Amino acid sequence: MVCGKLEIDILNSFWSLTKDNEDRDVSIQDIVDDLSANGIERAYTTIKTVMDRLTVKAILVRYKVGKKFFYKAAMNKEEMALDAVKTVAEQFFDGSCSDMIRFIERNSENILV
């Protein structure tokens, strides 16, 4: 599954916050604060909208404790990375990881400069 830049920023923040405790309850405000600490300023409502979109995509799971909503990841970072690599291989290289790797090697100077 391919995600947009802000979705990836939110997921990286989420995985960072739950690195030492994957059962930690993570709120929207936790993500807003973490992103802000990393120089990414976004409105609470924007983060909520994107986190709800990640819930629809089944990447995050939303649940309620008392009156507050929290989120848990349905996929860890490694699972998401593998899924993204598979998606790119399928979409651009007819499912061939070997062809994709050769492409990356040939174009490495143009990738992530």
Side-chain angles (χ1 to χ4, degrees), residues 84-99:
V85 167
K86 287 177 189 177
T87 298
V88 170
E90 289 168 4
Q91 290 178 344
F92 295 98
F93 302 97
D94 295 323
S96 172
C97 285
S98 299
D99 288 348

Side-chain angles (χ1 to χ4, degrees), residues 11-78:
L11 288 170
N12 280 326
S13 177
F14 190 93
W15 291 320
S16 174
L17 290 169
T18 59
K19 181 179 175 185
D20 296 328
N21 178 7
E22 66 182 33
D23 291 328
R24 176 183 172 185
D25 295 328
V26 177
S27 69
I28 295 166
Q29 191 62 55
D30 292 331
I31 299 295
V32 170
D33 294 343
D34 188 67
L35 289 173
S36 179
N38 290 304
I40 302 169
E41 298 292 334
R42 292 288 194 268
Y44 179 96
T45 53
T46 300
I47 300 303
K48 180 186 182 315
T49 298
V50 175
M51 289 179 73
D52 287 343
R53 189 180 319 138
L54 290 167
T55 301
V56 170
K57 291 181 176 183
I59 297 170
L60 294 179
V61 176
R62 185 176 76 170
Y63 58 97
K64 194 172 186 179
V65 176
K67 294 182 178 184
K68 194 170 182 180
F69 284 102
F70 294 96
Y71 296 79
K72 292 221 186 280
M75 300 175 80
N76 65 33
K77 192 172 192 171
E78 184 173 312

